[in-house]
């Protein structure tokens, strides 16, 4: 599982930071939990978060790009599950490349919580539900706030 070796950074200080969460509705049973966990993590850090919902993962980057100029950090949440065609690879590559370009072009950190899984069971295990091995919604928010806090100190 990809969470192996995850560093323990603690809870960063998000006081005064604003974070936009962009969540895909595709696989909503997973993405809804990711969003719930991200919102809880933002509150825990003292950051203010606002959620925006898009249809699918491919719509995340354009909304994240618009928001990146208005907030201190963005968290991207989605769930792409491999099917029987190459579509999975194209979607995952496009979303990752888009989010990377946005964060580098704007200087606004983006916590990437877009799950790319082979199966629905893998997505559940990473979603933060009770008994899950990982909590990628929380992890993405903590990473985004940690980076935004570091950037404001530089």
């Amino acid at each position: 599982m990809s969470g192996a070796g995850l560093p323990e950074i603690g809870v960063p200080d998000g006081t005064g930071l604003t974070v936009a969460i962009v969540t895909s509705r595709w696989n909503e049973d997973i993405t809804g939990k990711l969003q719930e966990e991200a919102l809880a993590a933002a509150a825990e850090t003292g950051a203010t978060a606002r959620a925006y919902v898009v249809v699918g993962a491919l719509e995340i980057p354009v909304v994240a790009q618009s928001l990146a100029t208005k907030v201190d950090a963005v968290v991207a949440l989605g769930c792409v599950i491999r099917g029987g065609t190459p579509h999975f690879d194209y979607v995952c590559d496009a979303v990752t490349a888009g989010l990377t370009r946005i964060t580098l072009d704007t200087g606004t950190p983006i916590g990437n919580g877009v799950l790319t899984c082979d199966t629905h069971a893998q997505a559940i295990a990473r979603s933060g539900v009770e008994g899950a091995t990982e909590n990628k919604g929380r992890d993405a928010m903590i990473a985004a706030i940690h980076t935004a806090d570091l950037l404001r100190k530089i």
Side-chain angles (χ1 to χ4, degrees):
M1 192 66 61
S2 66
L6 180 70
E8 178 57 47
I9 63 165
V11 178
D13 181 10
T15 305
L17 294 176
T18 58
V19 183
I21 303 170
V22 183
T23 307
S24 165
R25 290 191 63 165
W26 202 266
N27 295 305
E28 192 169 20
D29 62 319
I30 303 297
T31 62
K33 183 62 175 170
L34 293 172
Q35 181 178 292
E36 177 184 319
E37 293 294 322
L39 285 166
E44 185 180 349
T45 71
T48 300
R50 181 160 181 214
Y52 300 85
V53 178
V54 297
V55 175
L58 285 174
E59 290 74 41
I60 293 171
V62 70
V63 175
Q65 181 178 38
S66 177
L67 291 165
T69 61
K70 300 169 177 69
V71 297
D72 299 300
V74 175
V75 172
L77 302 173
C79 179
V80 185
I81 299 174
R82 186 179 303 277
T85 69
H87 184 71
F88 172 87
D89 298 312
Y90 301 136
V91 171
C92 296
D93 287 347
V95 172
T96 301
L99 294 176
T100 301
R101 192 190 89 218
I102 294 161
T103 198
L104 293 174
D105 288 353
T106 65
T108 302
I110 298 178
N112 187 345
V114 178
L115 304 183
T116 55
C117 302
D118 288 326
T119 67
H120 188 265
Q122 285 177 343
I124 290 173
R126 300 175 79 198
S127 70
V129 298
E130 187 174 339
T133 56
E134 297 181 75
N135 187 335
K136 293 302 184 182
R138 176 182 173 73
D139 292 349
M141 180 60 75
I142 295 296
I145 291 174
H146 181 273
T147 306
D149 183 41
L150 178 60
L151 286 171
R152 72 178 167 182
K153 292 175 181 173
I154 293 175

